[in-house]
Amino acid sequence: TCALPISLFRCDLVGSRFEGCKLVAVSVVECSADGASFAGSDAPVSNWLRCSLGGASFEGVNLDRANVVESTLEETNLTRANLDRGTFYKLDMATTVLDGANLSLTTFVETNLGARGFAGAKLFRTQFMRGSVAGSVFAGCDATQCNFTGVDIAGCDFTDAVLTQALFGDAHGDRAL
């Protein structure tokens, strides 16, 4: 494994491989990392600001307490990633794969999460604020105490999801649930 306590600013990381790296507290600012692979890396307390991460793989990555702000995540793979206690702000994640991810205590603000899937994901006490999860598949996920208040939930599939104490006040969407 490699240890990289670094800051990356306006770097071209397209197609680069950082698999299995230690990226603790890394700051990645205005970088292009389309198609890059961070699979299996350890990147807690990292910051990703205005990055292009289209098609990047974060499969199985530890992004505990990460902040991702105003970045592009088209076709990004976050399968089985640990996003516990993270903050995601002003993102379009409509084509992001989050199957089996741990999103416990995570906050999404003004984010479009019409994701292809949250199947089997852990969403314990996750907060969705002023965004959309329209069309998302939450089948079999644990959304205990999850807050969907004021969020667009149209067309969501909550089949076999655990929704104990989940909040849906002012959520909109005729076909959901």
Side-chain angles (χ1 to χ4, degrees):
T1 64
C2 48
L4 299 171
I6 57 174
S7 293
L8 300 168
F9 181 69
R10 293 187 179 160
C11 294
D12 181 356
L13 306 172
V14 172
S16 297
R17 295 179 65 161
F18 295 92
E19 295 167 355
C21 286
K22 298 260 185 228
L23 299 164
V24 178
V26 67
S27 290
V28 184
V29 180
E30 297 179 8
C31 292
S32 180
D34 295 323
S37 180
F38 299 88
S41 292
D42 189 25
V45 200
S46 56
N47 294 290
W48 305 77
L49 176 62
R50 292 187 298 277
C51 294
S52 180
L53 304 168
S57 176
F58 289 86
E59 186 169 351
V61 171
N62 178 19
L63 289 167
D64 181 41
R65 294 168 288 158
N67 296 301
V68 184
V69 178
E70 296 177 350
S71 296
T72 304
L73 285 91
E74 296 171 3
E75 302 292 328
T76 303
N77 182 1
L78 289 162
T79 301
R80 293 183 309 282
N82 179 26
L83 308 171
D84 189 39
R85 298 175 285 175
T87 301
F88 294 80
Y89 180 71
K90 287 193 174 183
L91 305 173
D92 185 352
M93 298 176 72
T95 58
T96 301
V97 179
L98 293 156
D99 292 338
N102 178 12
L103 301 155
S104 296
L105 300 166
T106 298
T107 302
F108 293 96
V109 181
E110 295 180 30
T111 294
N112 174 15
L113 276 155
R116 283 195 271 177
F118 290 92
K122 295 178 186 173
L123 297 162
F124 176 72
R125 297 182 74 184
T126 296
Q127 303 286 315
F128 296 97
M129 302 168 68
R130 300 181 309 277
S132 174
V133 294
S136 293
V137 177
F138 292 92
C141 78
D142 182 354
T144 299
Q145 296 182 6
C146 196
N147 188 345
F148 294 95
T149 301
V151 174
D152 183 358
I153 59 170
C156 287
D157 179 356
F158 290 97
T159 302
D160 295 324
V162 178
L163 299 170
T164 306
Q165 296 181 338
L167 301 174
F168 289 92
D170 294 322
H172 32 144
D174 298 340
R175 300 178 320 245
L177 302 175

